[in-house]
Structure formats: C-alpha cells, structure tokens
Amino acid sequence: MIKLEGLVGIVVFALWVFCLVDAIGTHSDRVRNLPKVAWILLILLFPFVGSIAWLVAGRPESSGPRRSAYEREQPEFPEYDRPGRAAAVDPEKDAEFLRQIRERAEAQRKQYDDQKRREREADGPPEG
C-alpha cells in the first residue's frame, strides 16, 4: 500500500511540475480564462486541483504546430504554407522584393524574345 501511495505522489508531483513549467512558459496572450499570474498561483497553492484546472481550462488550445517568427500566420497563397517555409516579416519589403522579381522576369522574357527575333531575321525569309 505504501508503494501505491508513493507512486501516486510521484505522479502528482510530476503533473504539478509539468503544469507549472507549462504555465510559466506560455505566452500571456494565449492563456485562457484567467491571467497567467493567477494560473501560476493556483498551481502553486493547490498542486493537484490547480494542475488539473490548468490542463482543462487554462492551457492554450493547440492550433497546429508552432511557427517561427519568420513563418506566415495565414499565407496569401496556401499552397506555399508548409512548416519551415520562411516569409518576410515586413510586408512592404516583401512587396518590393516581388516587384523586383517581376521586373527581372519581364526583362529576361524580353531579352529571350529579342534573341529569337534576331535568330529568325538572321535565318532570312523562308524559301518556298
């Protein structure tokens, strides 16, 4: 019977530590129902009940994998939304970069068309 009580104590302690670390590490704006400090105090003062309450009512709801600061929250083009894909943090710089890419592509397209036109002119009119 003592072993079972010890095991329960270890499980409650592990749950308490997990919930305390999780509450401390969670961003304040993602905590639900109570302020972050209130949750930490609740977990500290009432280890078992506070831990269960944190898991049920305070912990942020999982909204998929965490994204880095350079990943898009809601991409303009969902086909490019995959984990690890970096995106510009500043939309103005992103728009400027895309404008430069379009200009470069248009210049290359024009250069290719001019080259093909010159080749056709060098070959002369078709004989027939």
Side-chain angles (χ1 to χ4, degrees):
M1 196 62 158
I2 293 176
K3 290 182 182 180
L4 183 62
E5 290 173 359
L7 182 62
V8 170
I10 291 172
V11 169
V12 169
F13 179 74
L15 176 68
W16 178 71
V17 169
F18 170 77
C19 290
L20 185 60
V21 169
D22 191 38
I24 290 170
T26 301
H27 290 287
S28 297
D29 59 338
R30 297 195 65 216
V31 174
R32 298 184 296 150
N33 298 321
L34 290 175
K36 181 178 176 176
V37 174
W39 278 114
I40 293 171
L41 288 175
L42 186 69
I43 294 168
L44 283 172
L45 296 176
F46 306 101
F48 184 69
V49 174
S51 297
I52 297 298
W54 166 252
L55 292 175
V56 172
R59 193 167 195 223
E61 292 177 351
S62 177
S63 61
R66 287 189 178 175
R67 299 182 180 276
S68 73
Y70 299 102
E71 290 182 286
R72 298 177 199 264
E73 285 295 321
Q74 292 192 341
E76 192 172 333
F77 303 102
E79 62 270 16
Y80 295 122
D81 184 30
R82 56 183 184 267
R85 182 164 178 90
V89 177
D90 184 6
E92 292 175 9
K93 288 183 180 178
D94 192 30
E96 175 66 20
F97 174 74
L98 292 174
R99 186 188 59 76
Q100 290 174 353
I101 295 294
R102 284 188 209 104
E103 288 175 358
R104 191 174 341 148
E106 189 60 36
Q108 289 174 349
R109 195 173 301 119
K110 184 179 178 188
Q111 182 183 12
Y112 177 78
D113 290 343
D114 289 345
Q115 181 183 2
K116 287 296 183 185
R117 184 180 41 80
R118 276 187 255 123
E119 286 177 2
R120 283 193 306 265
E121 289 173 358
D123 291 341
E127 295 178 20

